[in-house]
Amino acid sequence: MRLSPLHRGRMVIATRNPGKLEELARLLAPFAVEVMAATDLGLAEPEETGASFAENALIKARAAATASGMPALADDSGLVVAGLDGAPGIHSARWAGPERDYAAAFRRIHDELVARFGSFAAADRRAAFVCVLALALPEGETALFEGRIDGEIVFPPRGEAGFGYDPIFVPQGESRTFAEMSSAEKDAISHRGQALRAFVRALAAAD
Ligand code: ITT
């Protein structure tokens, strides 16, 4: 299958997160599109000043499309915890700090839930992963595609697969964390898998 005439050929994946890049490249593998990473093209990293996943995804996609002259796909995503009023949300990467210390981010989520609810067992541990993909064409056109998976936070973290917050997130109806699943199992239900499939459907419809 080929993607639409508009996007046939090459596309920049505007992310610096190796976990996202691996998942997006894997999800796009069946399609006739040559994927290039923004990092490999030496594109500058724009500041994520938006107040929502969509705004930040658009900032990243527009910057990459303008700088490269190619269609660009950017991903803004995060973990939204109900008992923390939606935090860390759009700040999910920032909670891990410049060192990308996810053990510290897991601990912060745990400790803030305990501080609010008295214990982890009593806490509202409902959570969701959200992903917004923004496609930007060099001519200026943009489109957004979203995915969301509900589940709950577990502690201590479990599993080695995936990236980021995967070891503390169990999707609804599952007993394993994302980090205990195979990549195919995660892709089939994940926020990113859903958003990417919406993107592919839209391009197929435009074909
Ligand atoms: P780019 O902006 O370069 O794409 P980033 O990591 O800074 O990379 P975000 O600002 O969108 O990207 O932050 C999203 C964070 O949310 C990411 O760093 C992870 O910590 C978390 N996250 C998103 N999707 C995830 C997934 O599938 N599994 C685990 N954690 C995820």
Side-chain angles (χ1 to χ4, degrees):
M1 178 184 176
R2 295 181 73 85
L3 297 180
S4 93
L6 260 186
H7 314 111
R8 197 163 281 159
R10 306 198 295 174
M11 185 170 68
V12 180
I13 303 288
T15 180
R16 281 170 169 72
N17 181 320
K20 284 185 186 179
L21 184 63
E22 190 186 321
E23 289 192 4
L24 289 169
R26 186 167 75 218
L27 287 158
L28 283 164
F31 306 100
V33 57
E34 186 188 339
V35 165
M36 283 170 300
T39 27
D40 294 340
L41 297 174
L43 303 184
E45 186 176 3
E47 215 187 320
E48 292 182 36
T49 52
S52 64
F53 292 114
E55 283 176 25
N56 283 334
L58 282 169
I59 288 170
K60 292 186 274 192
R62 282 201 181 106
T66 305
S68 68
M70 285 186 270
L73 188 69
D75 167 316
D76 204 66
S77 48
L79 181 65
V80 172
V81 181
L84 299 180
D85 302 327
I90 63 167
H91 303 299
S92 294
R94 273 165 262 181
W95 275 37
E99 306 298 326
R100 295 286 178 260
D101 181 352
Y102 280 96
F106 302 161
R107 171 60 62 187
R108 180 168 170 192
I109 288 175
H110 172 272
D111 290 354
E112 292 200 12
L113 284 172
V114 170
R116 283 195 192 207
F117 294 93
S119 72
F120 188 69
D124 181 355
R125 301 185 302 274
R126 289 172 303 150
F129 269 126
V130 174
C131 173
V132 176
L133 293 176
L135 174 71
L137 303 185
E139 300 78 24
E141 198 186 327
T142 58
L144 292 170
F145 308 94
E146 304 191 13
R148 176 191 171 101
I149 173 107
D150 289 295
E152 69 166 13
I153 301 296
V154 293
F155 202 86
R158 304 195 314 250
E160 302 295 327
F163 69 99
Y165 294 90
D166 282 345
I168 61 162
F169 181 81
V170 173
Q172 224 164 46
E174 266 289 338
S175 54
R176 292 169 301 163
T177 67
F178 262 164
E180 293 175 309
M181 296 182 184
S182 69
S183 51
E185 286 173 316
K186 180 181 174 186
D187 290 348
I189 57 173
S190 79
H191 48 314
R192 187 162 295 102
Q194 292 178 40
L196 203 282
R197 283 186 289 276
F199 164 70
V200 167
R201 272 197 304 275
L203 292 190
D207 223 342

